Amino acid sequence: MKLFDSKWPIVEAAMNNASNKNLALAVSQAGGFPSLSTYPKYNVRPRNPNSPLPHKDIDFDPMFYEISDFILSNGSANVIVPVPPEWLLHPDFLKIAKDVKISHWEIFPRWQNEQVCCSRLIMDDLIFGCIKQLKKYSKVIGRLLGPVSDNPRLEVFDGLAIKGSDSGGGRGYLTVQETFNYQIQHSKNVIPYGVVGTPQQVRNYLDQGAPAVAVGTLFAACKESPLTM
């Protein structure tokens, strides 16, 4: 089964300030596979005098409506929505995932404000169980910040997004190409994220076995991006 249902093996890499509905629709209409960055609403309650930290309520309804609006406008639920592992632990999130049934969720490795590779995240039994629950409704992609060869739990992911030291934000301790070269020998559906700007680079990764290639900066610079308006 194909990991992505699109005309071209090009994925829009999710970008916090760029991957909105308009850009996602433009990518989809052009034959690529879109990403949509959307967020819940955080309501911080007054500090409990018996607790050293404020309590945060999370309202997932705004996120639900934005995803639903995209699906209605696109005529398809083919989209990647990135989420941090904390949201997986919230029962309201899993309810939304069951209701909207988008094609892909992407788990990005930020845990308690620390960049943590997904290969470490899934060693937490609770997070691992939530990902298995999520897979009942959608495909799930995990991000890797470095090569991994000895974690059988990685098989819970349908695909692995490779970030490197030369990706946006400088994540990872090897380059995208170096990490990809290693990981493609140990995993299926390895997707390079970052430092892709030419057709030749796309062709190179496809020839090496990538199911698709993620592109960020070029999409961020196109006219449909909110960054250029």
Side-chain angles (χ1 to χ4, degrees):
M1 182 182 296
K2 286 179 61 177
L3 182 59
F4 300 109
D5 181 17
S6 58
K7 181 178 180 180
W8 307 111
I10 303 292
V11 171
E12 174 202 346
M15 298 166 283
N16 284 342
N17 297 316
S19 298
N20 65 0
K21 174 186 170 182
N22 288 340
L23 181 58
L25 288 174
V27 170
S28 181
Q29 291 165 6
F33 204 92
S35 290
L36 181 67
S37 292
T38 179
Y39 308 93
K41 180 181 179 182
Y42 285 83
N43 301 308
V44 181
R45 291 180 177 177
R47 186 183 298 273
N48 183 333
N50 297 318
S51 173
L53 297 173
H55 176 73
K56 289 185 178 181
D57 275 342
I58 306 179
D59 178 6
F60 284 95
D61 282 349
M63 185 176 177
F64 171 83
Y65 293 133
E66 191 168 359
I67 294 173
S68 298
D69 182 49
F70 171 81
I71 293 173
L72 183 64
S73 300
N74 192 43
S76 166
N78 286 339
V79 66
I80 302 170
V81 176
V83 294
E86 288 91 342
W87 296 356
L88 302 181
L89 305 179
H90 199 294
D92 288 354
F93 172 79
L94 290 176
K95 182 180 183 300
I96 285 180
K98 181 179 179 180
D99 289 343
V100 299
K101 288 185 175 64
I102 63 168
S103 62
H104 296 70
W105 296 99
E106 181 182 349
I107 315 301
F108 60 82
R110 188 168 63 220
W111 178 242
Q112 298 175 342
N113 295 321
E114 180 186 355
Q115 290 290 330
V116 178
C117 188
C118 275
S119 61
R120 281 178 55 194
L121 284 174
I122 56 178
M123 297 314 292
D124 183 298
D125 290 338
L126 196 54
I127 292 177
F128 185 66
C130 288
I131 293 175
K132 290 198 293 184
Q133 179 76 9
L134 198 58
K135 278 173 61 71
K136 295 180 181 180
Y137 322 124
S138 308
K139 292 183 174 66
V140 182
I141 298 171
R143 290 189 197 175
L144 290 187
L145 304 180
V148 180
S149 63
D150 57 354
N151 189 341
R153 284 192 170 192
L154 279 178
E155 294 181 3
V156 73
F157 295 116
D158 298 285
L160 296 172
I162 298 299
K163 300 284 283 186
S165 57
D166 50 349
S167 299
R171 299 177 179 89
Y173 56 89
L174 297 175
T175 67
V176 174
Q177 182 72 69
E178 289 169 336
T179 305
F180 177 87
N181 290 346
Y182 182 91
Q183 201 62 45
I184 197 66
Q185 306 300 320
H186 300 277
S187 307
K188 63 179 182 180
N189 292 333
V190 180
I191 312 145
Y193 266 54
V195 206
V196 176
T198 69
Q200 291 75 20
Q201 289 173 306
V202 173
R203 183 75 266 168
N204 174 58
Y205 279 119
L206 296 179
D207 288 345
Q208 293 181 73
V213 177
V215 175
T217 302
L218 291 180
F219 285 133
C222 67
K223 67 179 183 180
E224 293 87 356
S225 167
L227 302 184
T228 61
M229 293 180 178

